[in-house]
Amino acid sequence: MARRKIIAGNWKMNMTPTEAVELIETLKPLVASDEVDVVFCVPAIDIIPAVAAVKGTNIAIGAENMYFEESGAYTGETSPKMLTEAGVKYVIIGHSERREYFAESDETVNKKVLKAFAHNLTPIVCCGESLTQREQGITIDWIRQQIKIAFLNVSADQAATAVIAYEPIWAIGTGKVATTEQAQEVCAAIRVCMAEIYDQATADAIRIQYGGSVTAASAAELFSQADIDGGLVGGASLKPDFGKIVNYK
Ligand code: PGA
């Protein structure tokens, strides 16, 4: 069975609530599509107005982060139940910016992935190597380790519904997109790793995105690769160009 593509915008720390609604109104007609799943991952404070603004469209709203506890004394954090009640369907887990600036580890990523599944949120699990790791030739080993820890104790049924985003750190926000071959090679390796952890059917069901400086110019070639099932798009998701990325064919 062919996997349905999933194209997600990662707004990062951009857009006030008012700007968020304006951007959604601009993008709504441009991202209309029957063929791919479209997700806008927005800052926590934008979630409620964003969910209202996408009502009746093909756009799903995602969060950019979530905590792994149910509730309690965790100042500044957002719980899974807060997200689901607000109408969130997806949550980015373990983005490299969170790993770098907010001390997220493979272990906290795993806790968050488990918690997301427990609340029927689809995690977009991020992995990716630094430029040094790529130059040292340890990219695949590194990614396999990130993935194996992220999916510890996740069942095959849950894993089959997951989205994994391969985002080489050196390609994020740099304008330096990975070559199609580099992106496909790692996405294929991630699928092999999932088949080893689970089985081929589970691995074949998982959607694997590429992320890192995706633009309307690079989307079509990237998304036509055998193991690339869409993209996680930062900068270009804030512009009308995102419509071209969604309708890349
Ligand atoms: P970028 O960001 O498209 O701006 O490189 C991608 C991401 O960090 O998800």
Side-chain angles (χ1 to χ4, degrees):
M1 203 185 72
R3 288 180 295 271
R4 191 172 159 88
K5 302 268 193 239
I6 176 163
I7 299 174
N10 173 12
W11 287 12
K12 310 195 178 185
M13 198 175 74
N14 295 294
M15 300 293 135
T16 66
T18 310
E19 290 166 346
V21 172
E22 283 167 7
L23 180 61
I24 289 170
E25 293 305 331
T26 305
L27 292 181
K28 251 187 212 179
L30 306 177
V31 303
S33 167
D34 295 333
E35 290 188 27
V36 306
D37 289 342
V38 179
V39 185
F40 290 3
C41 297
V42 307
I45 198 156
D46 295 343
I47 286 171
I48 289 176
V51 167
V54 301
K55 208 162 179 245
T57 74
N58 62 316
I59 304 164
I61 294 299
E64 298 178 11
N65 180 35
M66 175 197 91
Y67 201 50
F68 52 74
E69 295 290 354
E70 293 293 335
S71 66
Y74 305 102
T75 303
E77 292 295 317
T78 307
S79 78
K81 209 167 148 203
M82 291 170 189
L83 297 183
T84 53
E85 194 190 303
V88 166
K89 302 279 182 245
Y90 295 86
V91 56
I92 299 175
I93 305 280
H95 190 280
S96 61
E97 287 151 17
R98 294 219 52 91
R99 294 178 192 254
E100 182 177 351
Y101 306 130
F102 303 99
E104 292 207 10
S105 64
D106 289 336
E107 287 70 28
T108 59
V109 167
N110 176 239
K111 286 184 183 177
K112 291 181 177 192
V113 168
L114 289 167
K115 196 51 100 172
F117 281 124
H119 285 266
N120 287 320
L121 284 160
T122 300
I124 300 177
V125 185
C126 297
C127 59
E129 82 287 3
S130 66
L131 188 57
T132 310
Q133 288 166 330
R134 177 157 285 274
E135 286 170 354
Q136 288 171 336
I138 59 169
T139 296
I140 304 286
D141 289 343
W142 176 256
I143 302 287
R144 284 173 57 88
Q145 176 172 318
Q146 286 187 319
I147 291 297
K148 283 186 177 175
I149 301 175
F151 282 84
L152 267 179
N153 299 320
V154 172
S155 73
D157 286 350
Q158 290 171 329
T161 67
V163 178
I164 296 174
Y166 166 56
E167 299 201 303
I169 296 168
W170 48 271
I172 295 177
T174 57
K176 218 173 150 187
V177 63
T179 66
T180 310
E181 293 72 30
Q182 287 171 328
Q184 163 59 22
E185 183 196 13
V186 179
C187 291
I190 292 170
R191 206 175 302 286
V192 168
C193 184
M194 295 310 273
E196 286 170 19
I197 302 171
Y198 299 104
D199 51 68
Q200 196 59 48
T202 304
D204 285 342
I206 292 169
R207 295 188 290 179
I208 305 176
Q209 299 174 316
Y210 167 79
S213 298
V214 174
T215 61
S218 56
E221 198 180 309
L222 285 164
F223 301 169
S224 66
Q225 299 304 301
D227 290 289
I228 303 180
D229 307 310
L232 184 57
V233 183
S237 72
L238 300 169
K239 301 182 204 144
D241 243 26
F242 194 57
K244 294 198 192 123
I245 296 175
V246 167
N247 294 293
Y248 63 95
K249 274 194 195 155

